[in-house]
Amino acid sequence: MGHNATGIARPKAESRVLDALAGRPIVIVGMMGAGKTTVGRRLAHRLGLPFTDSDAEIETAAGMSVPDIFAAHGEPEFRAGEARVIARLLREHQGIIATGGGAFINPETREAIKTHAVSIWIKADFDLLFARVSKRPGRPLLQTPDPRSTLQGLIDTRYPVYALADITVASRDVPHDVVVNDILSAISRHFDIPKDQ
């Protein structure tokens, strides 16, 4: 067993994942409602790593919420700030970084993630995403007369780009820890980490 930063023994599989990462952060990408933040926090806990959410970091830097940034400055200004924040997190953060749904679409951000981190796309189907985002109003990109069509349009545009991530894991209607286990298994396959005998 290895040990995490708190000195608690960690299972061998998690230790091997950390060795394979060699200090690089894991960046979680995907659509709003895919579970990036919740799953990211649990993954960080399992690996004994710090967690950060790029949207929360943007809100701290701007002194206002993401919807307020969109309303006051528009999407292009938000995206520029998002790119700056993620570039900083890639330099400074060695844990798990959950990103906003549009972050990985930016080519410069995507290249920086590819160079400095391991990217994981949490892929969810339309029905699961719509059910989840409908419970949390205030998503700036869905403030349209037809949010279902808007969400489908975002999926059609973004999924081919998300597919460029290093690893893809399906989000489904199961406990979040199941998805965390799927991620750990996918990372092990990505790095060709041998299973325990």
Side-chain angles (χ1 to χ4, degrees), residues 74-139:
E75 186 175 358
E77 184 66 26
F78 172 79
R79 295 298 173 203
E82 179 178 59
R84 289 191 299 271
V85 165
I86 291 174
R88 175 178 59 80
L89 291 174
L90 289 171
R91 289 191 306 271
E92 299 175 359
H93 192 80
Q94 291 193 332
I96 312 298
I97 303 169
T99 60
F104 200 66
I105 306 305
N106 178 311
E108 291 82 14
T109 298
R110 193 165 60 250
E111 187 58 35
I113 290 170
K114 186 170 189 60
T115 302
H116 300 291
V118 174
S119 55
I120 299 175
W121 173 25
I122 299 182
K123 181 180 182 180
D125 67 25
F126 174 88
D127 290 333
L128 181 60
L129 289 175
F130 194 77
R132 288 178 177 172
V133 299
S134 296
K135 294 176 190 166
R136 290 186 59 195
R139 305 274 188 175

Short mmCIF file of all heavy atoms in Angstrom, two decimals, residues 74-139:
data_model
loop_
_atom_site.label_atom_id
_atom_site.label_comp_id
_atom_site.label_asym_id
_atom_site.label_seq_id
_atom_site.Cartn_x
_atom_site.Cartn_y
_atom_site.Cartn_z
N GLY A 74 -20.77 38.82 -21.38
CA GLY A 74 -20.96 37.97 -22.55
C GLY A 74 -20.08 36.73 -22.53
O GLY A 74 -19.13 36.64 -21.75
N GLU A 75 -20.43 35.78 -23.39
CA GLU A 75 -19.69 34.52 -23.42
C GLU A 75 -18.24 34.67 -23.83
O GLU A 75 -17.36 34.04 -23.23
CB GLU A 75 -20.40 33.49 -24.32
CG GLU A 75 -19.73 32.13 -24.24
CD GLU A 75 -20.45 31.04 -25.02
OE1 GLU A 75 -21.52 31.30 -25.61
OE2 GLU A 75 -19.93 29.90 -25.02
N PRO A 76 -17.89 35.50 -24.85
CA PRO A 76 -16.48 35.60 -25.24
C PRO A 76 -15.57 36.04 -24.08
O PRO A 76 -14.48 35.49 -23.90
CB PRO A 76 -16.49 36.64 -26.37
CG PRO A 76 -17.86 36.54 -26.94
CD PRO A 76 -18.76 36.26 -25.77
N GLU A 77 -16.03 37.00 -23.28
CA GLU A 77 -15.22 37.45 -22.14
C GLU A 77 -15.10 36.34 -21.10
O GLU A 77 -14.03 36.13 -20.52
CB GLU A 77 -15.86 38.70 -21.52
CG GLU A 77 -15.04 39.31 -20.40
CD GLU A 77 -13.71 39.86 -20.85
OE1 GLU A 77 -13.55 40.24 -22.02
OE2 GLU A 77 -12.78 39.89 -20.00
N PHE A 78 -16.20 35.62 -20.87
CA PHE A 78 -16.14 34.49 -19.94
C PHE A 78 -15.13 33.45 -20.43
O PHE A 78 -14.32 32.96 -19.65
CB PHE A 78 -17.52 33.84 -19.78
CG PHE A 78 -17.47 32.56 -18.99
CD1 PHE A 78 -17.39 32.57 -17.61
CD2 PHE A 78 -17.46 31.32 -19.63
CE1 PHE A 78 -17.30 31.39 -16.88
CE2 PHE A 78 -17.38 30.14 -18.91
CZ PHE A 78 -17.30 30.18 -17.53
N ARG A 79 -15.18 33.11 -21.71
CA ARG A 79 -14.27 32.09 -22.26
C ARG A 79 -12.82 32.52 -22.15
O ARG A 79 -11.94 31.70 -21.89
CB ARG A 79 -14.63 31.77 -23.71
CG ARG A 79 -15.99 31.14 -23.91
CD ARG A 79 -16.12 29.80 -23.23
NE ARG A 79 -17.50 29.31 -23.33
CZ ARG A 79 -18.02 28.42 -22.49
NH1 ARG A 79 -17.30 27.92 -21.51
NH2 ARG A 79 -19.27 28.03 -22.64
N ALA A 80 -12.54 33.80 -22.35
CA ALA A 80 -11.16 34.29 -22.22
C ALA A 80 -10.67 34.14 -20.78
O ALA A 80 -9.54 33.69 -20.53
CB ALA A 80 -11.08 35.75 -22.66
N GLY A 81 -11.53 34.49 -19.82
CA GLY A 81 -11.17 34.32 -18.41
C GLY A 81 -11.01 32.86 -18.04
O GLY A 81 -10.09 32.49 -17.29
N GLU A 82 -11.87 32.03 -18.59
CA GLU A 82 -11.81 30.59 -18.34
C GLU A 82 -10.47 30.02 -18.83
O GLU A 82 -9.81 29.24 -18.12
CB GLU A 82 -12.97 29.91 -19.06
CG GLU A 82 -13.04 28.41 -18.92
CD GLU A 82 -14.26 27.85 -19.63
OE1 GLU A 82 -14.40 28.06 -20.85
OE2 GLU A 82 -15.08 27.20 -18.96
N ALA A 83 -10.04 30.43 -20.02
CA ALA A 83 -8.78 29.95 -20.57
C ALA A 83 -7.60 30.35 -19.68
O ALA A 83 -6.68 29.56 -19.43
CB ALA A 83 -8.58 30.48 -21.99
N ARG A 84 -7.64 31.58 -19.17
CA ARG A 84 -6.56 32.05 -18.29
C ARG A 84 -6.52 31.26 -16.99
O ARG A 84 -5.45 30.86 -16.51
CB ARG A 84 -6.71 33.55 -17.98
CG ARG A 84 -6.42 34.47 -19.15
CD ARG A 84 -6.34 35.93 -18.73
NE ARG A 84 -7.58 36.44 -18.14
CZ ARG A 84 -8.58 36.99 -18.84
NH1 ARG A 84 -8.49 37.09 -20.16
NH2 ARG A 84 -9.65 37.43 -18.22
N VAL A 85 -7.70 31.04 -16.40
CA VAL A 85 -7.78 30.31 -15.13
C VAL A 85 -7.30 28.87 -15.31
O VAL A 85 -6.52 28.36 -14.49
CB VAL A 85 -9.22 30.36 -14.57
CG1 VAL A 85 -9.41 29.32 -13.46
CG2 VAL A 85 -9.53 31.75 -14.04
N ILE A 86 -7.72 28.20 -16.37
CA ILE A 86 -7.32 26.81 -16.57
C ILE A 86 -5.82 26.72 -16.84
O ILE A 86 -5.15 25.81 -16.33
CB ILE A 86 -8.16 26.15 -17.69
CG1 ILE A 86 -9.61 25.98 -17.17
CG2 ILE A 86 -7.58 24.79 -18.09
CD1 ILE A 86 -10.58 25.48 -18.20
N ALA A 87 -5.26 27.67 -17.59
CA ALA A 87 -3.81 27.67 -17.81
C ALA A 87 -3.07 27.79 -16.48
O ALA A 87 -2.07 27.09 -16.24
CB ALA A 87 -3.43 28.83 -18.74
N ARG A 88 -3.58 28.63 -15.58
CA ARG A 88 -2.95 28.77 -14.25
C ARG A 88 -3.09 27.49 -13.45
O ARG A 88 -2.12 27.03 -12.82
CB ARG A 88 -3.58 29.95 -13.50
CG ARG A 88 -3.07 30.08 -12.06
CD ARG A 88 -3.66 31.27 -11.34
NE ARG A 88 -5.10 31.28 -11.24
CZ ARG A 88 -5.80 30.56 -10.35
NH1 ARG A 88 -5.20 29.75 -9.49
NH2 ARG A 88 -7.12 30.65 -10.31
N LEU A 89 -4.29 26.89 -13.47
CA LEU A 89 -4.49 25.65 -12.71
C LEU A 89 -3.58 24.54 -13.22
O LEU A 89 -3.06 23.75 -12.42
CB LEU A 89 -5.96 25.21 -12.79
CG LEU A 89 -6.97 26.10 -12.06
CD1 LEU A 89 -8.39 25.63 -12.34
CD2 LEU A 89 -6.70 26.11 -10.56
N LEU A 90 -3.37 24.47 -14.52
CA LEU A 90 -2.49 23.43 -15.07
C LEU A 90 -1.05 23.63 -14.59
O LEU A 90 -0.32 22.65 -14.43
CB LEU A 90 -2.54 23.44 -16.60
CG LEU A 90 -3.85 22.92 -17.21
CD1 LEU A 90 -3.87 23.20 -18.71
CD2 LEU A 90 -4.03 21.43 -16.94
N ARG A 91 -0.66 24.87 -14.37
CA ARG A 91 0.70 25.14 -13.86
C ARG A 91 0.82 24.85 -12.37
O ARG A 91 1.86 24.39 -11.90
CB ARG A 91 1.08 26.61 -14.10
CG ARG A 91 1.33 27.00 -15.53
CD ARG A 91 1.97 28.39 -15.63
NE ARG A 91 1.23 29.42 -14.93
CZ ARG A 91 0.25 30.15 -15.46
NH1 ARG A 91 -0.14 29.93 -16.71
NH2 ARG A 91 -0.37 31.08 -14.75
N GLU A 92 -0.25 25.12 -11.61
CA GLU A 92 -0.15 25.16 -10.15
C GLU A 92 -0.78 23.97 -9.44
O GLU A 92 -0.49 23.73 -8.27
CB GLU A 92 -0.81 26.44 -9.62
CG GLU A 92 -0.17 27.72 -10.12
CD GLU A 92 -0.95 28.96 -9.68
OE1 GLU A 92 -1.99 28.81 -9.02
OE2 GLU A 92 -0.49 30.07 -10.02
N HIS A 93 -1.66 23.23 -10.11
CA HIS A 93 -2.50 22.24 -9.42
C HIS A 93 -2.10 20.82 -9.83
O HIS A 93 -2.06 20.52 -11.02
CB HIS A 93 -3.97 22.51 -9.77
CG HIS A 93 -4.94 21.76 -8.92
ND1 HIS A 93 -5.30 22.17 -7.66
CD2 HIS A 93 -5.64 20.63 -9.16
CE1 HIS A 93 -6.19 21.32 -7.16
NE2 HIS A 93 -6.40 20.38 -8.05
N GLN A 94 -1.84 19.97 -8.86
CA GLN A 94 -1.45 18.59 -9.18
C GLN A 94 -2.53 17.58 -8.81
O GLN A 94 -2.25 16.41 -8.65
CB GLN A 94 -0.14 18.24 -8.47
CG GLN A 94 1.05 18.99 -9.03
CD GLN A 94 2.35 18.40 -8.53
OE1 GLN A 94 2.42 17.82 -7.46
NE2 GLN A 94 3.40 18.58 -9.31
N GLY A 95 -3.76 18.04 -8.73
CA GLY A 95 -4.83 17.14 -8.35
C GLY A 95 -5.83 16.94 -9.46
O GLY A 95 -5.48 16.72 -10.62
N ILE A 96 -7.11 17.02 -9.09
CA ILE A 96 -8.21 16.82 -10.03
C ILE A 96 -8.82 18.19 -10.34
O ILE A 96 -9.14 18.95 -9.43
CB ILE A 96 -9.30 15.91 -9.42
CG1 ILE A 96 -8.69 14.65 -8.79
CG2 ILE A 96 -10.36 15.58 -10.46
CD1 ILE A 96 -7.95 13.75 -9.74
N ILE A 97 -8.99 18.48 -11.63
CA ILE A 97 -9.57 19.75 -12.06
C ILE A 97 -10.84 19.44 -12.86
O ILE A 97 -10.77 18.81 -13.92
CB ILE A 97 -8.59 20.55 -12.95
CG1 ILE A 97 -7.26 20.80 -12.23
CG2 ILE A 97 -9.24 21.86 -13.40
CD1 ILE A 97 -6.16 21.34 -13.15
N ALA A 98 -11.99 19.88 -12.35
CA ALA A 98 -13.24 19.78 -13.11
C ALA A 98 -13.40 21.08 -13.90
O ALA A 98 -13.20 22.17 -13.35
CB ALA A 98 -14.42 19.57 -12.18
N THR A 99 -13.74 20.97 -15.18
CA THR A 99 -13.85 22.16 -16.02
C THR A 99 -15.30 22.40 -16.42
O THR A 99 -16.12 21.49 -16.40
CB THR A 99 -13.01 22.01 -17.30
OG1 THR A 99 -13.48 20.87 -18.04
CG2 THR A 99 -11.54 21.83 -16.98
N GLY A 100 -15.57 23.63 -16.83
CA GLY A 100 -16.88 23.96 -17.38
C GLY A 100 -17.07 23.27 -18.72
O GLY A 100 -16.10 22.87 -19.38
N GLY A 101 -18.33 23.16 -19.14
CA GLY A 101 -18.64 22.41 -20.35
C GLY A 101 -17.98 22.92 -21.62
O GLY A 101 -17.69 22.14 -22.53
N GLY A 102 -17.69 24.22 -21.69
CA GLY A 102 -17.11 24.78 -22.91
C GLY A 102 -15.60 24.87 -22.91
O GLY A 102 -14.99 25.21 -23.93
N ALA A 103 -14.96 24.58 -21.78
CA ALA A 103 -13.52 24.80 -21.65
C ALA A 103 -12.71 24.02 -22.67
O ALA A 103 -11.80 24.55 -23.32
CB ALA A 103 -13.06 24.45 -20.24
N PHE A 104 -13.01 22.74 -22.83
CA PHE A 104 -12.22 21.85 -23.69
C PHE A 104 -12.43 22.17 -25.17
O PHE A 104 -11.66 21.72 -26.02
CB PHE A 104 -12.60 20.40 -23.40
CG PHE A 104 -11.59 19.37 -23.83
CD1 PHE A 104 -10.33 19.30 -23.24
CD2 PHE A 104 -11.90 18.43 -24.81
CE1 PHE A 104 -9.41 18.33 -23.62
CE2 PHE A 104 -10.99 17.46 -25.19
CZ PHE A 104 -9.73 17.40 -24.60
N ILE A 105 -13.45 22.97 -25.48
CA ILE A 105 -13.74 23.33 -26.86
C ILE A 105 -12.71 24.34 -27.38
O ILE A 105 -12.43 24.39 -28.57
CB ILE A 105 -15.18 23.89 -26.98
CG1 ILE A 105 -16.19 22.91 -26.38
CG2 ILE A 105 -15.54 24.23 -28.42
CD1 ILE A 105 -16.15 21.50 -26.94
N ASN A 106 -12.13 25.13 -26.46
CA ASN A 106 -11.11 26.11 -26.83
C ASN A 106 -9.84 25.37 -27.26
O ASN A 106 -9.26 24.62 -26.47
CB ASN A 106 -10.82 27.01 -25.63
CG ASN A 106 -9.74 28.04 -25.88
OD1 ASN A 106 -8.67 27.73 -26.38
ND2 ASN A 106 -10.02 29.27 -25.51
N PRO A 107 -9.36 25.58 -28.51
CA PRO A 107 -8.20 24.81 -28.99
C PRO A 107 -6.94 25.01 -28.15
O PRO A 107 -6.20 24.05 -27.91
CB PRO A 107 -7.99 25.32 -30.42
CG PRO A 107 -9.29 25.92 -30.82
CD PRO A 107 -9.92 26.44 -29.57
N GLU A 108 -6.69 26.25 -27.70
CA GLU A 108 -5.49 26.50 -26.89
C GLU A 108 -5.59 25.79 -25.53
O GLU A 108 -4.62 25.21 -25.05
CB GLU A 108 -5.27 28.01 -26.68
CG GLU A 108 -4.86 28.74 -27.93
CD GLU A 108 -6.05 29.11 -28.83
OE1 GLU A 108 -7.22 29.03 -28.36
OE2 GLU A 108 -5.81 29.45 -30.00
N THR A 109 -6.77 25.87 -24.93
CA THR A 109 -6.97 25.18 -23.65
C THR A 109 -6.83 23.67 -23.83
O THR A 109 -6.18 22.99 -23.02
CB THR A 109 -8.35 25.52 -23.07
OG1 THR A 109 -8.41 26.93 -22.82
CG2 THR A 109 -8.63 24.77 -21.78
N ARG A 110 -7.42 23.15 -24.89
CA ARG A 110 -7.33 21.71 -25.16
C ARG A 110 -5.88 21.28 -25.33
O ARG A 110 -5.45 20.25 -24.81
CB ARG A 110 -8.17 21.39 -26.40
CG ARG A 110 -8.41 19.92 -26.60
CD ARG A 110 -9.52 19.66 -27.59
NE ARG A 110 -9.27 20.19 -28.92
CZ ARG A 110 -9.93 21.21 -29.46
NH1 ARG A 110 -10.87 21.84 -28.78
NH2 ARG A 110 -9.64 21.63 -30.69
N GLU A 111 -5.08 22.06 -26.06
CA GLU A 111 -3.67 21.73 -26.27
C GLU A 111 -2.89 21.79 -24.95
O GLU A 111 -2.04 20.93 -24.69
CB GLU A 111 -3.06 22.69 -27.30
CG GLU A 111 -1.64 22.34 -27.70
CD GLU A 111 -1.51 20.93 -28.29
OE1 GLU A 111 -2.42 20.47 -29.00
OE2 GLU A 111 -0.46 20.29 -28.02
N ALA A 112 -3.20 22.80 -24.12
CA ALA A 112 -2.52 22.90 -22.82
C ALA A 112 -2.86 21.70 -21.94
O ALA A 112 -1.99 21.16 -21.25
CB ALA A 112 -2.92 24.21 -22.13
N ILE A 113 -4.13 21.28 -21.96
CA ILE A 113 -4.53 20.11 -21.18
C ILE A 113 -3.81 18.88 -21.70
O ILE A 113 -3.29 18.06 -20.92
CB ILE A 113 -6.06 19.94 -21.22
CG1 ILE A 113 -6.75 21.06 -20.43
CG2 ILE A 113 -6.47 18.56 -20.68
CD1 ILE A 113 -8.26 21.12 -20.60
N LYS A 114 -3.74 18.74 -23.02
CA LYS A 114 -3.07 17.57 -23.61
C LYS A 114 -1.59 17.52 -23.22
O LYS A 114 -1.04 16.46 -22.95
CB LYS A 114 -3.21 17.62 -25.13
CG LYS A 114 -2.68 16.39 -25.84
CD LYS A 114 -3.06 16.41 -27.31
CE LYS A 114 -2.75 15.11 -28.00
NZ LYS A 114 -3.44 13.96 -27.46
N THR A 115 -0.96 18.69 -23.15
CA THR A 115 0.47 18.77 -22.84
C THR A 115 0.77 18.53 -21.37
O THR A 115 1.76 17.88 -21.03
CB THR A 115 1.01 20.15 -23.26
OG1 THR A 115 0.77 20.35 -24.65
CG2 THR A 115 2.50 20.27 -22.99
N HIS A 116 -0.09 19.04 -20.49
CA HIS A 116 0.26 19.08 -19.06
C HIS A 116 -0.57 18.17 -18.16
O HIS A 116 -0.32 18.13 -16.96
CB HIS A 116 0.14 20.52 -18.54
CG HIS A 116 1.02 21.48 -19.25
ND1 HIS A 116 2.39 21.47 -19.13
CD2 HIS A 116 0.73 22.47 -20.13
CE1 HIS A 116 2.91 22.42 -19.88
NE2 HIS A 116 1.93 23.05 -20.50
N ALA A 117 -1.58 17.49 -18.72
CA ALA A 117 -2.50 16.74 -17.85
C ALA A 117 -2.99 15.48 -18.56
O ALA A 117 -2.62 15.21 -19.70
CB ALA A 117 -3.70 17.64 -17.49
N VAL A 118 -3.81 14.74 -17.86
CA VAL A 118 -4.53 13.61 -18.43
C VAL A 118 -6.01 14.01 -18.44
O VAL A 118 -6.55 14.41 -17.40
CB VAL A 118 -4.33 12.32 -17.61
CG1 VAL A 118 -5.20 11.20 -18.14
CG2 VAL A 118 -2.86 11.92 -17.62
N SER A 119 -6.64 13.96 -19.60
CA SER A 119 -8.03 14.40 -19.71
C SER A 119 -8.99 13.22 -19.71
O SER A 119 -8.71 12.19 -20.33
CB SER A 119 -8.23 15.25 -20.97
OG SER A 119 -7.81 14.54 -22.12
N ILE A 120 -10.10 13.40 -19.00
CA ILE A 120 -11.13 12.37 -18.93
C ILE A 120 -12.47 13.00 -19.28
O ILE A 120 -12.90 13.97 -18.66
CB ILE A 120 -11.21 11.76 -17.52
CG1 ILE A 120 -9.88 11.08 -17.15
CG2 ILE A 120 -12.37 10.76 -17.43
CD1 ILE A 120 -9.81 10.57 -15.75
N TRP A 121 -13.11 12.45 -20.32
CA TRP A 121 -14.45 12.89 -20.71
C TRP A 121 -15.47 12.02 -20.00
O TRP A 121 -15.49 10.81 -20.18
CB TRP A 121 -14.62 12.80 -22.22
CG TRP A 121 -16.01 13.07 -22.73
CD1 TRP A 121 -16.98 13.81 -22.12
CD2 TRP A 121 -16.58 12.59 -23.95
NE1 TRP A 121 -18.12 13.84 -22.90
CE2 TRP A 121 -17.91 13.10 -24.03
CE3 TRP A 121 -16.10 11.80 -24.99
CZ2 TRP A 121 -18.74 12.82 -25.10
CZ3 TRP A 121 -16.94 11.53 -26.06
CH2 TRP A 121 -18.24 12.04 -26.11
N ILE A 122 -16.32 12.64 -19.19
CA ILE A 122 -17.46 11.94 -18.62
C ILE A 122 -18.61 12.14 -19.60
O ILE A 122 -19.16 13.23 -19.73
CB ILE A 122 -17.82 12.45 -17.21
CG1 ILE A 122 -16.63 12.23 -16.26
CG2 ILE A 122 -19.06 11.74 -16.70
CD1 ILE A 122 -16.90 12.66 -14.83
N LYS A 123 -18.93 11.08 -20.31
CA LYS A 123 -19.91 11.14 -21.40
C LYS A 123 -21.28 10.70 -20.90
O LYS A 123 -21.42 9.60 -20.35
CB LYS A 123 -19.45 10.22 -22.54
CG LYS A 123 -20.37 10.22 -23.74
CD LYS A 123 -19.84 9.30 -24.83
CE LYS A 123 -20.73 9.34 -26.06
NZ LYS A 123 -20.22 8.43 -27.12
N ALA A 124 -22.26 11.56 -21.10
CA ALA A 124 -23.63 11.24 -20.67
C ALA A 124 -24.57 11.43 -21.84
O ALA A 124 -24.36 12.30 -22.69
CB ALA A 124 -24.04 12.14 -19.51
N ASP A 125 -25.64 10.63 -21.87
CA ASP A 125 -26.59 10.79 -22.98
C ASP A 125 -27.55 11.94 -22.71
O ASP A 125 -27.62 12.48 -21.59
CB ASP A 125 -27.32 9.47 -23.26
CG ASP A 125 -28.25 9.04 -22.14
OD1 ASP A 125 -28.72 9.89 -21.35
OD2 ASP A 125 -28.53 7.83 -22.05
N PHE A 126 -28.28 12.33 -23.74
CA PHE A 126 -29.14 13.51 -23.67
C PHE A 126 -30.14 13.43 -22.51
O PHE A 126 -30.30 14.39 -21.75
CB PHE A 126 -29.90 13.69 -25.00
CG PHE A 126 -30.91 14.80 -24.95
CD1 PHE A 126 -30.54 16.10 -25.27
CD2 PHE A 126 -32.22 14.56 -24.56
CE1 PHE A 126 -31.46 17.13 -25.19
CE2 PHE A 126 -33.15 15.59 -24.48
CZ PHE A 126 -32.77 16.88 -24.81
N ASP A 127 -30.84 12.30 -22.39
CA ASP A 127 -31.91 12.21 -21.39
C ASP A 127 -31.38 12.39 -19.97
O ASP A 127 -32.00 13.08 -19.15
CB ASP A 127 -32.64 10.87 -21.50
CG ASP A 127 -33.48 10.78 -22.78
OD1 ASP A 127 -33.91 11.84 -23.28
OD2 ASP A 127 -33.69 9.66 -23.27
N LEU A 128 -30.24 11.80 -19.68
CA LEU A 128 -29.64 11.94 -18.35
C LEU A 128 -29.23 13.39 -18.12
O LEU A 128 -29.51 13.96 -17.05
CB LEU A 128 -28.43 11.02 -18.22
CG LEU A 128 -27.70 11.04 -16.88
CD1 LEU A 128 -28.63 10.63 -15.75
CD2 LEU A 128 -26.47 10.14 -16.92
N LEU A 129 -28.58 14.01 -19.10
CA LEU A 129 -28.16 15.41 -18.95
C LEU A 129 -29.36 16.32 -18.75
O LEU A 129 -29.35 17.18 -17.85
CB LEU A 129 -27.38 15.87 -20.19
CG LEU A 129 -25.99 15.28 -20.39
CD1 LEU A 129 -25.42 15.75 -21.72
CD2 LEU A 129 -25.06 15.68 -19.24
N PHE A 130 -30.39 16.15 -19.59
CA PHE A 130 -31.53 17.07 -19.50
C PHE A 130 -32.24 16.91 -18.16
O PHE A 130 -32.66 17.90 -17.55
CB PHE A 130 -32.51 16.86 -20.67
CG PHE A 130 -33.48 17.99 -20.78
CD1 PHE A 130 -33.08 19.21 -21.34
CD2 PHE A 130 -34.78 17.88 -20.32
CE1 PHE A 130 -33.96 20.28 -21.42
CE2 PHE A 130 -35.67 18.93 -20.41
CZ PHE A 130 -35.26 20.15 -20.97
N ALA A 131 -32.37 15.68 -17.68
CA ALA A 131 -33.00 15.45 -16.38
C ALA A 131 -32.21 16.17 -15.28
O ALA A 131 -32.79 16.79 -14.38
CB ALA A 131 -33.08 13.96 -16.08
N ARG A 132 -30.88 16.11 -15.35
CA ARG A 132 -30.05 16.74 -14.31
C ARG A 132 -30.06 18.26 -14.41
O ARG A 132 -30.21 18.95 -13.40
CB ARG A 132 -28.62 16.21 -14.40
CG ARG A 132 -28.48 14.77 -13.93
CD ARG A 132 -27.06 14.30 -14.09
NE ARG A 132 -26.88 12.94 -13.60
CZ ARG A 132 -25.75 12.26 -13.77
NH1 ARG A 132 -24.72 12.79 -14.40
NH2 ARG A 132 -25.65 11.02 -13.30
N VAL A 133 -29.89 18.80 -15.62
CA VAL A 133 -29.81 20.27 -15.73
C VAL A 133 -31.16 20.92 -15.49
O VAL A 133 -31.23 22.08 -15.08
CB VAL A 133 -29.22 20.74 -17.09
CG1 VAL A 133 -27.80 20.22 -17.25
CG2 VAL A 133 -30.09 20.34 -18.26
N SER A 134 -32.24 20.19 -15.70
CA SER A 134 -33.58 20.74 -15.45
C SER A 134 -33.81 20.98 -13.96
O SER A 134 -34.63 21.81 -13.58
CB SER A 134 -34.65 19.79 -15.98
OG SER A 134 -34.55 19.67 -17.38
N LYS A 135 -33.09 20.23 -13.13
CA LYS A 135 -33.22 20.40 -11.68
C LYS A 135 -32.46 21.62 -11.17
O LYS A 135 -32.66 22.05 -10.05
CB LYS A 135 -32.70 19.15 -10.95
CG LYS A 135 -33.51 17.91 -11.19
CD LYS A 135 -32.85 16.72 -10.50
CE LYS A 135 -33.52 15.42 -10.91
NZ LYS A 135 -32.72 14.26 -10.54
N ARG A 136 -31.53 22.13 -12.00
CA ARG A 136 -30.71 23.26 -11.58
C ARG A 136 -30.83 24.40 -12.59
O ARG A 136 -30.06 24.49 -13.53
CB ARG A 136 -29.24 22.84 -11.45
CG ARG A 136 -29.00 21.90 -10.29
CD ARG A 136 -27.54 21.60 -10.10
NE ARG A 136 -26.78 22.82 -9.86
CZ ARG A 136 -25.46 22.89 -9.95
NH1 ARG A 136 -24.77 21.83 -10.27
NH2 ARG A 136 -24.83 24.01 -9.72
N PRO A 137 -31.84 25.25 -12.40
CA PRO A 137 -31.99 26.37 -13.34
C PRO A 137 -30.83 27.35 -13.20
O PRO A 137 -30.09 27.31 -12.24
CB PRO A 137 -33.31 27.01 -12.89
CG PRO A 137 -33.49 26.60 -11.48
CD PRO A 137 -32.83 25.25 -11.34
N GLY A 138 -30.68 28.20 -14.20
CA GLY A 138 -29.62 29.20 -14.13
C GLY A 138 -28.42 28.87 -14.98
O GLY A 138 -27.42 29.57 -14.94
N ARG A 139 -28.48 27.80 -15.76
CA ARG A 139 -27.39 27.50 -16.69
C ARG A 139 -27.45 28.52 -17.83
O ARG A 139 -28.42 28.54 -18.59
CB ARG A 139 -27.54 26.09 -17.26
CG ARG A 139 -27.64 24.99 -16.21
CD ARG A 139 -26.29 24.53 -15.77
NE ARG A 139 -26.38 23.36 -14.91
CZ ARG A 139 -25.33 22.69 -14.48
NH1 ARG A 139 -24.13 23.06 -14.82
NH2 ARG A 139 -25.48 21.65 -13.70
#
